[in-house]
Amino acid sequence: LLAEVTAQVTVLESAFTWRESDRSAAKRATHVLAELAKNEEVVNVIVEGGAVPALVKHLQAPPCEDGDRSPKPFEHEVEKGSAFALGLLAVKPEHQQLIVDSGALSHLVNLLRRHKDSSISRAVISVIRRAADALTNLAHENSSIKSRVRMEGGIPPLVELLEFTDTKVQRAAAGALRTLAFKNDENKNQIVECNALPTLILMLRSEDAAIHYEAVGVIGNLVHSSPNIKKEVLAAGALQPVIGLLNSCCSESQREAALLLGQFAATDSDCKVHIVQRGAVRPLIEMLHSPDVQLKEMSTFALGRLAQDTHNQAGIAHSGGLVPLLKLLDSKNGSLQHNAAFALYGLADNEDNVSDFIRVGGVQRLQDGEFIVQATKDCVAKTLKRLEEKIHGRVLNHLLYLMRVAEKPVQRRVALALAYLCSPDDQRTIFIDNNGLELLLGLLGSTSTKQQLDGAVALYKLSNKAMTLSPMDAAPPSPTPQVSL
């Protein structure tokens, strides 16, 4: 294998002319190296064989004599093959810097402008696309190279290529910008200054899933941790097309759109309301039923942010979001479970949702859940506290009504929840006057061990609540440290 690599490198080093035989040999050598580089296990051998400097050399056309207007054999083809091979080698992070240090960036940026000096042909389109892809791979998770691409002037031509006639070039340019914008504020600012937003927003409406996926990814990276850019994106009209992507046939675009809406929702209260008014809630709730864990994670993230508004809280529950969010508390994915818990915490803040929470068994799910991270446990505890604080007035009246007229399973769920959540002052009204005690005792005779246990624990909890301090016991606090069990 090393001998094969060395042979191709030798060809590249000696065939840097416009002679047809040299161009043909160089094209074949770049093709062989690219085919080998598709196997990631072989990449190290290719680099050790000296392929990087040889390939970088062929990112530019050979010198030609002044005034030579004769047809160029394999014009753009060798450069395309070199860019493709280098992009494959850059997949391994340890080779990125070597490629950059060999001078690849300036040549790749020049290739992005190749269509300005030549008529647009299939070869020109291919070389531009391969150059953009190579820049993407070189800059992947490498902050210094991202900045180097900007300093080499790579961002303006990439923004221009978003409007190129070929959709594959558009997609490659957007992919490069997406990578360059990730966690790099200077790059983000330059992309916006180059007036990329109007074109990116048009791309969001593309029927080509590959196009709108890359566009929503660029916008997502631009707005991340950048409040000012977020406002510019919204002002440029991104909101409705992003909401439209929630119904995309591409699950990756749906996921990116949901993430972006969650980021938009953190902007201000008006934006939260506008997202719901423009139709985002139902498709976000539909995503909660997807088998794709990441899609559910982003949907719960967005719903959690939207649920920080009072009217949105009622709207999400009314649209059917409560039950699937409660089911996601059983997820074995810690991030998804926490996002669901946070969304439920928001929904519990609205009195109109409390009865529904209890009616569908939400209190029992919150109490019985096995939560993976401490933050989720804390969130669930705060949700139960929120529910407890709302068990009075019209909420309590509605729950008492359900205990009288609802089906028996619902009556029992209400009685169980109230045993934990009600104020001691309301115990007689609930459990004596409205037969709540009878419902709890009925659970003890159930054929379900779980229901028997629930009933017994609820009765025990209720009896503890009833044990209030007598006036003689209510002494002033002692300065001596107290230990509570």
mmCIF file of all heavy atoms in Angstrom, residues 359-379:
data_model
loop_
_atom_site.group_PDB
_atom_site.id
_atom_site.type_symbol
_atom_site.label_atom_id
_atom_site.label_comp_id
_atom_site.label_asym_id
_atom_site.label_seq_id
_atom_site.Cartn_x
_atom_site.Cartn_y
_atom_site.Cartn_z
ATOM 1 N N ARG A 359 -55.916 14.576 36.173
ATOM 2 C CA ARG A 359 -56.874 13.652 35.552
ATOM 3 C C ARG A 359 -56.172 12.545 34.777
ATOM 4 O O ARG A 359 -56.628 11.393 34.772
ATOM 5 C CB ARG A 359 -57.797 14.450 34.622
ATOM 6 C CG ARG A 359 -58.876 13.625 33.942
ATOM 7 C CD ARG A 359 -59.791 14.516 33.125
ATOM 8 N NE ARG A 359 -59.056 15.321 32.164
ATOM 9 C CZ ARG A 359 -58.623 14.855 30.993
ATOM 10 N NH1 ARG A 359 -58.845 13.595 30.641
ATOM 11 N NH2 ARG A 359 -57.964 15.648 30.162
ATOM 12 N N VAL A 360 -55.042 12.863 34.107
ATOM 13 C CA VAL A 360 -54.349 11.851 33.290
ATOM 14 C C VAL A 360 -53.276 11.097 34.092
ATOM 15 O O VAL A 360 -52.502 10.328 33.521
ATOM 16 C CB VAL A 360 -53.710 12.494 32.040
ATOM 17 C CG1 VAL A 360 -54.777 13.123 31.161
ATOM 18 C CG2 VAL A 360 -52.632 13.511 32.408
ATOM 19 N N GLY A 361 -53.226 11.319 35.394
ATOM 20 C CA GLY A 361 -52.261 10.593 36.225
ATOM 21 C C GLY A 361 -50.885 11.211 36.268
ATOM 22 O O GLY A 361 -49.900 10.530 36.591
ATOM 23 N N GLY A 362 -50.799 12.508 35.971
ATOM 24 C CA GLY A 362 -49.498 13.169 35.928
ATOM 25 C C GLY A 362 -48.783 13.208 37.261
ATOM 26 O O GLY A 362 -47.552 13.078 37.323
ATOM 27 N N VAL A 363 -49.530 13.373 38.339
ATOM 28 C CA VAL A 363 -48.899 13.433 39.667
ATOM 29 C C VAL A 363 -48.223 12.103 39.986
ATOM 30 O O VAL A 363 -47.086 12.068 40.484
ATOM 31 C CB VAL A 363 -49.928 13.812 40.740
ATOM 32 C CG1 VAL A 363 -49.330 13.681 42.141
ATOM 33 C CG2 VAL A 363 -50.427 15.235 40.509
ATOM 34 N N GLN A 364 -48.908 11.004 39.680
ATOM 35 C CA GLN A 364 -48.305 9.693 39.949
ATOM 36 C C GLN A 364 -47.041 9.474 39.109
ATOM 37 O O GLN A 364 -46.054 8.922 39.598
ATOM 38 C CB GLN A 364 -49.322 8.569 39.655
ATOM 39 C CG GLN A 364 -50.377 8.371 40.729
ATOM 40 C CD GLN A 364 -51.441 9.467 40.710
ATOM 41 O OE1 GLN A 364 -51.954 9.818 39.652
ATOM 42 N NE2 GLN A 364 -51.759 10.003 41.879
ATOM 43 N N ARG A 365 -47.069 9.936 37.854
ATOM 44 C CA ARG A 365 -45.882 9.780 37.002
ATOM 45 C C ARG A 365 -44.713 10.595 37.546
ATOM 46 O O ARG A 365 -43.565 10.149 37.521
ATOM 47 C CB ARG A 365 -46.190 10.214 35.568
ATOM 48 C CG ARG A 365 -46.901 9.147 34.752
ATOM 49 C CD ARG A 365 -46.954 9.569 33.290
ATOM 50 N NE ARG A 365 -47.546 8.525 32.472
ATOM 51 C CZ ARG A 365 -46.874 7.548 31.870
ATOM 52 N NH1 ARG A 365 -45.566 7.471 32.048
ATOM 53 N NH2 ARG A 365 -47.488 6.647 31.142
ATOM 54 N N LEU A 366 -45.003 11.784 38.018
ATOM 55 C CA LEU A 366 -43.945 12.612 38.591
ATOM 56 C C LEU A 366 -43.380 11.977 39.859
ATOM 57 O O LEU A 366 -42.169 12.027 40.110
ATOM 58 C CB LEU A 366 -44.486 14.008 38.903
ATOM 59 C CG LEU A 366 -44.830 14.886 37.688
ATOM 60 C CD1 LEU A 366 -45.608 16.123 38.129
ATOM 61 C CD2 LEU A 366 -43.578 15.311 36.934
ATOM 62 N N GLN A 367 -44.251 11.386 40.656
ATOM 63 C CA GLN A 367 -43.803 10.793 41.916
ATOM 64 C C GLN A 367 -43.064 9.471 41.719
ATOM 65 O O GLN A 367 -42.115 9.164 42.440
ATOM 66 C CB GLN A 367 -45.006 10.558 42.840
ATOM 67 C CG GLN A 367 -45.617 11.844 43.383
ATOM 68 C CD GLN A 367 -46.921 11.586 44.111
ATOM 69 O OE1 GLN A 367 -47.633 10.628 43.823
ATOM 70 N NE2 GLN A 367 -47.237 12.456 45.062
ATOM 71 N N ASP A 368 -43.490 8.706 40.718
ATOM 72 C CA ASP A 368 -42.945 7.356 40.546
ATOM 73 C C ASP A 368 -41.753 7.295 39.590
ATOM 74 O O ASP A 368 -41.105 6.258 39.466
ATOM 75 C CB ASP A 368 -44.037 6.409 40.008
ATOM 76 C CG ASP A 368 -45.194 6.249 40.982
ATOM 77 O OD1 ASP A 368 -45.013 6.597 42.170
ATOM 78 O OD2 ASP A 368 -46.270 5.793 40.554
ATOM 79 N N GLY A 369 -41.468 8.385 38.901
ATOM 80 C CA GLY A 369 -40.434 8.350 37.863
ATOM 81 C C GLY A 369 -39.036 8.080 38.406
ATOM 82 O O GLY A 369 -38.709 8.431 39.541
ATOM 83 N N GLU A 370 -38.228 7.442 37.568
ATOM 84 C CA GLU A 370 -36.818 7.210 37.892
ATOM 85 C C GLU A 370 -35.999 8.196 37.049
ATOM 86 O O GLU A 370 -35.847 8.009 35.846
ATOM 87 C CB GLU A 370 -36.431 5.769 37.575
ATOM 88 C CG GLU A 370 -37.165 4.757 38.449
ATOM 89 C CD GLU A 370 -36.765 3.322 38.132
ATOM 90 O OE1 GLU A 370 -35.816 3.143 37.325
ATOM 91 O OE2 GLU A 370 -37.399 2.399 38.658
ATOM 92 N N PHE A 371 -35.499 9.228 37.698
ATOM 93 C CA PHE A 371 -34.875 10.332 36.971
ATOM 94 C C PHE A 371 -33.360 10.217 37.022
ATOM 95 O O PHE A 371 -32.772 9.936 38.054
ATOM 96 C CB PHE A 371 -35.384 11.655 37.521
ATOM 97 C CG PHE A 371 -36.883 11.751 37.487
ATOM 98 C CD1 PHE A 371 -37.635 11.788 38.645
ATOM 99 C CD2 PHE A 371 -37.543 11.744 36.266
ATOM 100 C CE1 PHE A 371 -39.010 11.834 38.600
ATOM 101 C CE2 PHE A 371 -38.928 11.792 36.209
ATOM 102 C CZ PHE A 371 -39.665 11.832 37.381
ATOM 103 N N ILE A 372 -32.742 10.470 35.857
ATOM 104 C CA ILE A 372 -31.340 10.126 35.651
ATOM 105 C C ILE A 372 -30.397 11.143 36.279
ATOM 106 O O ILE A 372 -29.405 10.773 36.896
ATOM 107 C CB ILE A 372 -31.072 9.977 34.137
ATOM 108 C CG1 ILE A 372 -31.924 8.820 33.573
ATOM 109 C CG2 ILE A 372 -29.592 9.734 33.853
ATOM 110 C CD1 ILE A 372 -31.993 8.772 32.058
ATOM 111 N N VAL A 373 -30.706 12.431 36.117
ATOM 112 C CA VAL A 373 -29.792 13.463 36.628
ATOM 113 C C VAL A 373 -30.473 14.265 37.725
ATOM 114 O O VAL A 373 -31.694 14.360 37.781
ATOM 115 C CB VAL A 373 -29.313 14.405 35.496
ATOM 116 C CG1 VAL A 373 -28.511 13.644 34.466
ATOM 117 C CG2 VAL A 373 -30.477 15.121 34.836
ATOM 118 N N GLN A 374 -29.654 14.855 38.595
ATOM 119 C CA GLN A 374 -30.187 15.591 39.733
ATOM 120 C C GLN A 374 -31.017 16.793 39.281
ATOM 121 O O GLN A 374 -32.028 17.131 39.908
ATOM 122 C CB GLN A 374 -29.033 16.061 40.638
ATOM 123 C CG GLN A 374 -29.483 16.716 41.934
ATOM 124 C CD GLN A 374 -30.324 15.793 42.803
ATOM 125 O OE1 GLN A 374 -29.978 14.625 42.981
ATOM 126 N NE2 GLN A 374 -31.423 16.305 43.329
ATOM 127 N N ALA A 375 -30.616 17.440 38.203
ATOM 128 C CA ALA A 375 -31.371 18.608 37.726
ATOM 129 C C ALA A 375 -32.811 18.241 37.385
ATOM 130 O O ALA A 375 -33.737 19.021 37.622
ATOM 131 C CB ALA A 375 -30.676 19.208 36.505
ATOM 132 N N THR A 376 -33.006 17.035 36.837
ATOM 133 C CA THR A 376 -34.365 16.579 36.522
ATOM 134 C C THR A 376 -35.146 16.310 37.799
ATOM 135 O O THR A 376 -36.326 16.661 37.904
ATOM 136 C CB THR A 376 -34.312 15.310 35.652
ATOM 137 O OG1 THR A 376 -33.485 15.554 34.516
ATOM 138 C CG2 THR A 376 -35.696 14.909 35.180
ATOM 139 N N LYS A 377 -34.494 15.699 38.784
ATOM 140 C CA LYS A 377 -35.166 15.449 40.069
ATOM 141 C C LYS A 377 -35.612 16.766 40.699
ATOM 142 O O LYS A 377 -36.727 16.868 41.221
ATOM 143 C CB LYS A 377 -34.217 14.699 41.015
ATOM 144 C CG LYS A 377 -33.841 13.307 40.540
ATOM 145 C CD LYS A 377 -32.792 12.675 41.457
ATOM 146 C CE LYS A 377 -32.332 11.332 40.917
ATOM 147 N NZ LYS A 377 -31.247 10.734 41.727
ATOM 148 N N ASP A 378 -34.749 17.769 40.641
ATOM 149 C CA ASP A 378 -35.093 19.082 41.208
ATOM 150 C C ASP A 378 -36.257 19.706 40.451
ATOM 151 O O ASP A 378 -37.158 20.312 41.051
ATOM 152 C CB ASP A 378 -33.880 20.012 41.153
ATOM 153 C CG ASP A 378 -32.728 19.529 42.025
ATOM 154 O OD1 ASP A 378 -32.974 18.706 42.930
ATOM 155 O OD2 ASP A 378 -31.591 19.979 41.795
ATOM 156 N N CYS A 379 -36.244 19.567 39.140
ATOM 157 C CA CYS A 379 -37.298 20.138 38.307
ATOM 158 C C CYS A 379 -38.646 19.484 38.624
ATOM 159 O O CYS A 379 -39.672 20.163 38.740
ATOM 160 C CB CYS A 379 -36.940 19.951 36.834
ATOM 161 S SG CYS A 379 -38.044 20.781 35.691
#
